Amino acid sequence: MSLVCVTCLTGFPVPTGGSGRGLVQAQEVEFGLGPEPGDVWKGKDVTTAYVEALTLAEEHYAGPIDHERLCDAAATGMLRTLDPHSNFFTREEFNEFRSQQQANYSGIGSLITQHGNKVYIWSPIADTPAYRAGLRYGDEIIAVDGESTEGWDVSKVRSRLRGLRSTAVTVTVNRPGEPSPITVRIVRDSVGQPSVSNVFMLTPEVGYLAFRRGFAQASGEEVAAAVRQLKARGAKAIVFDQRDNPGGLVDAARAIAELFLARGQKIVSIRGRTPRGLTYENALTSNNPTPEDIPLVVLINGGSASAAEILAGALQDHDRALLVGETTFGKGLVQTPYRLPDGYGLTLTSAKYYTPTGRLIQRRYDNVSLYDYQRRRSRTEVTGKDGLTKYLTDGKRTVYGGLGITPDVEVKGETYTLAQGQLTSLTFLFGRLLANGQVEGFAQYRVPRDVDYNHTLQDSDYPITDQLLAAFKAFAQPRLQEFGIAPTALVGNDAFLRQQLRREILTAAYGFDTAQEVIIREEAVVKRAIAEVPQSRSLAENARRLMPSPLRPTNSFKN
């Protein structure tokens, strides 16, 4: 029997630090050996029953038994009875989890994508082994370590490209215009995953900051640097995009909130219990005597969760930002990671968090399947704000609790038709030909081998002309059936196709993050955020007036 089977059922974790602080910080905790003498505990009885059930299965089950899968399922099922966010991790899953917390992983450093039954390089990340080895946008991955990738999906290719740092992997690709496959040997390395992916100016006075990849150890420093960069470029207000940010470290949320909240202002209250059953409450507060007072519009949606909700809730409760978008996911539970023997791990809900006004953000999860909880909201959760508990912000604005963080201005997210989703495969396949100079009559769209990751996007960069759009349609028409696309899909989608084609060629020339600017600028929620900047300016000015006099910034903005 795997050691983890026994330890999951019989062991107790021992937190680091005192008074439960390790739990609040969501630090990784070592696994202990058991309860203190005298504790009331029935682990022995549970273990005996489990071992007896496993023994019966071994002796009488009609087929072969995979002990590791049985153990994993037992631990997973046990934790899932507690809440949707307490999870068990296999060795591979726990390594991936830890990489996300540290904002890096070990691999070659490239975004990959699947279209049809083939996997391609989408965008090598700047200054990574993949980029230095010469892999580029549109390369079709046909072999890894000499083994054909035929029949592999994108997940299998990704798992084979990742590995221990300093180990080597050979990758063979087909590139349009090259007479034979290209094979490169790549030494894996640590690959950073910055929390801030896009920083640019939406208008001469409104900056944009994309913070959508999670809260990691360096997130606070990244956001602070991005704010300084935007202000240096003339920003008088910032659109802070937290859509689809899954959360992460509570300390990172605190660090970012401190950039904008004054000393003494509460960021979040965390209420839980220690391993000995004692309850506690820790209030995290800002310690910044000179916070930034630039007006903020924060974008949120149903994918904004956990630490993203802590940050959004704190800024909303203190009237420090105007929230635009859709109601957040509603995850008000704090997990502590635990290392188990043999490389396994688990996260266990150890506390609940509350916004400064006392709002519990967590949605109800009792009598709801895991699928419904993660993918769909119940009918009562989409009926609006009726029945939700009301709270008052510092400036006496009404906000709501019990569902997630509700926006001040509701704007629905972008939706795409099935046909549009299918057409993205063809825009990519056309883009890889275009970027490699393989579309007749459009040699000027061939991109240089060196990707300019620091490029400031201009309207004149790789425009999609009527002639180029016509060339794409001629390319796509005979391939519609292969990808299961209706012949009518090419009709009435010109604006969408122009946008996607430009994003593809810009990805090849300047990298994925820069190319995303084409999509971001046209989103309805971003346009609405720009329109709401005057309201955010009023909120920021009012928040400044509500500060105690010694804490007011001396460099306050002017209307």
Side-chain angles (χ1 to χ4, degrees):
M1 183 189 303
S2 170
L3 178 60
V4 74
C5 287
V6 178
T7 52
C8 276
L9 292 165
T10 64
F12 265 62
V14 180
T16 59
S19 303
R21 183 167 176 79
L23 301 176
V24 173
Q25 300 299 320
Q27 294 172 344
E28 198 171 279
V29 177
E30 290 284 3
F31 197 84
L33 296 178
E36 292 292 320
D39 282 353
V40 178
W41 185 58
K42 297 182 179 180
K44 183 177 181 181
D45 294 339
V46 174
T47 306
T48 300
Y50 175 82
V51 172
E52 288 179 356
L54 183 59
T55 301
L56 285 171
E58 289 175 332
E59 294 176 351
H60 301 289
Y61 182 65
I65 291 179
D66 185 331
H67 288 84
E68 187 165 1
R69 287 187 63 190
L70 282 178
C71 294
D72 294 352
T76 299
M78 174 183 67
L79 294 173
R80 286 284 166 79
T81 63
L82 301 176
D83 64 77
H85 299 290
S86 292
N87 286 308
F88 174 78
F89 296 91
T90 64
R91 299 179 187 90
E92 295 78 12
E93 292 168 344
F94 197 55
N95 285 335
E96 176 71 15
F97 170 80
R98 297 175 73 184
S99 294
Q100 292 173 355
Q101 297 289 296
Q102 298 166 4
N104 63 61
Y105 66 93
S106 180
I108 68 169
S110 179
L111 301 180
I112 60 176
T113 184
Q114 181 171 350
H115 295 285
N117 58 0
K118 297 179 179 179
V119 178
Y120 302 86
I121 297 291
W122 195 3
S123 181
I125 300 170
D127 195 29
T128 60
Y131 181 77
R132 293 192 293 268
L135 295 182
R136 292 296 182 266
Y137 167 91
D139 288 347
E140 178 195 347
I141 302 173
I142 61 172
V144 177
D145 284 333
E147 185 177 353
S148 171
T149 59
E150 185 176 356
W152 293 12
D153 63 10
V154 68
S155 296
K156 184 171 183 178
V157 174
R158 180 175 59 244
S159 67
R160 292 291 297 271
L161 294 178
R162 291 189 178 186
L164 296 177
R165 187 178 182 183
S166 299
T167 60
V169 59
T170 59
V171 181
T172 304
V173 300
N174 276 334
R175 179 175 297 164
E178 295 294 333
S180 58
I182 301 169
T183 298
V184 294
R185 181 180 182 273
I186 304 175
V187 177
R188 299 181 179 97
D189 200 353
S190 179
V191 179
Q193 302 179 89
S195 300
V196 176
S197 57
N198 296 80
V199 181
F200 59 86
M201 298 298 292
L202 288 166
T203 74
E205 293 191 345
V206 179
Y208 173 87
L209 190 164
F211 182 67
R212 305 176 70 172
R213 292 177 176 166
F215 288 70
Q217 293 171 352
S219 293
E221 297 171 3
E222 289 184 44
V223 171
V227 170
R228 290 194 298 269
Q229 179 182 339
L230 289 172
K231 291 175 68 175
R233 295 174 64 178
K236 301 295 191 296
I238 293 176
V239 175
F240 189 96
D241 193 349
Q242 279 204 127
R243 290 175 297 164
D244 298 315
N245 190 314
L249 299 178
V250 176
D251 267 356
R254 177 183 189 173
I256 298 170
E258 273 194 319
L259 292 174
F260 307 106
L261 298 180
R263 177 182 291 165
Q265 288 187 303
K266 185 183 292 186
I267 297 170
V268 65
S269 292
I270 303 178
R271 306 172 193 174
R273 71 179 184 91
T274 69
R276 300 291 172 239
L278 301 176
T279 59
Y280 69 87
E281 177 174 352
N282 280 357
L284 306 184
T285 59
S286 174
N287 193 37
N288 187 354
T290 56
E292 292 281 354
D293 65 347
I294 191 168
L296 296 174
V297 178
V298 175
L299 304 185
I300 55 174
N301 67 1
S304 308
S306 189
E309 294 173 290
I310 289 179
L311 178 57
L315 296 176
Q316 187 181 47
D317 283 2
H318 291 300
D319 297 299
R320 187 56 191 84
L322 188 76
L323 272 52
V324 176
E326 300 173 281
T327 300
T328 59
F329 183 83
K331 180 183 179 293
L333 305 178
V334 181
Q335 280 71 50
T336 299
Y338 294 84
R339 291 192 299 272
L340 302 178
D342 293 348
Y344 292 81
L346 62 83
T347 55
L348 187 66
T349 294
S350 52
K352 298 178 180 180
Y353 61 73
Y354 297 76
T355 72
T357 58
R359 290 184 284 170
L360 174 63
I361 298 168
Q362 180 62 46
R363 289 190 289 126
R364 292 188 61 178
Y365 51 82
D366 53 319
N367 299 320
V368 177
S369 71
L370 184 63
Y371 175 84
D372 284 339
Y373 177 78
Q374 292 182 338
R375 301 297 181 186
R376 301 186 307 185
R377 293 180 179 270
S378 67
R379 184 172 299 174
T380 58
E381 291 178 319
V382 295
T383 55
K385 299 174 182 177
D386 294 342
L388 297 180
T389 305
K390 296 181 180 180
Y391 298 81
L392 293 179
T393 67
D394 292 353
K396 308 305 180 185
R397 294 188 305 136
T398 299
V399 291
Y400 299 87
L403 179 58
I405 299 296
T406 54
D408 300 305
V409 179
E410 185 173 2
V411 180
K412 295 296 183 182
E414 304 291 323
T415 58
Y416 298 98
T417 66
L418 175 61
Q420 288 174 335
Q422 294 170 324
L423 284 170
T424 57
S425 286
L426 295 181
T427 57
F428 172 83
L429 295 176
F430 183 79
R432 70 187 290 261
L433 297 177
L434 187 65
N436 284 284
Q438 299 302 302
V439 178
E440 186 176 355
F442 296 94
Q444 69 272 29
Y445 285 84
R446 185 186 185 107
V447 303
R449 285 295 96 192
D450 292 331
V451 180
D452 185 1
Y453 291 102
N454 297 316
H455 181 76
T456 299
L457 201 59
Q458 306 295 325
D459 291 341
S460 57
D461 292 329
Y462 299 100
I464 305 303
T465 63
D466 291 343
Q467 293 79 8
L468 186 56
L469 181 61
F472 165 75
K473 290 183 177 181
F475 165 85
Q477 190 66 52
R479 295 171 174 82
L480 294 176
Q481 185 175 359
E482 176 186 350
F483 285 86
I485 305 173
T488 56
L490 294 177
V491 179
N493 278 317
D494 283 6
F496 172 80
L497 292 173
R498 288 179 187 274
Q499 183 186 68
Q500 294 299 314
L501 287 169
R502 188 159 185 250
R503 181 181 72 158
E504 295 299 342
I505 193 65
L506 292 176
T507 298
Y510 309 126
F512 177 82
D513 288 339
T514 299
Q516 283 298 103
E517 184 178 333
V518 171
I519 307 296
I520 293 167
R521 286 184 178 276
E522 296 303 316
E523 292 181 296
V525 67
V526 173
K527 292 180 177 180
R528 181 61 181 272
I530 296 172
E532 295 294 338
V533 163
Q535 174 69 5
S536 73
R537 183 174 288 115
S538 297
L539 280 179
E541 177 61 25
N542 189 50
R544 187 183 70 85
R545 284 196 297 265
L546 290 173
M547 287 184 196
S549 297
L551 296 180
R552 291 180 186 170
T554 57
N555 59 336
S556 61
F557 60 86
K558 298 185 182 296
N559 288 320

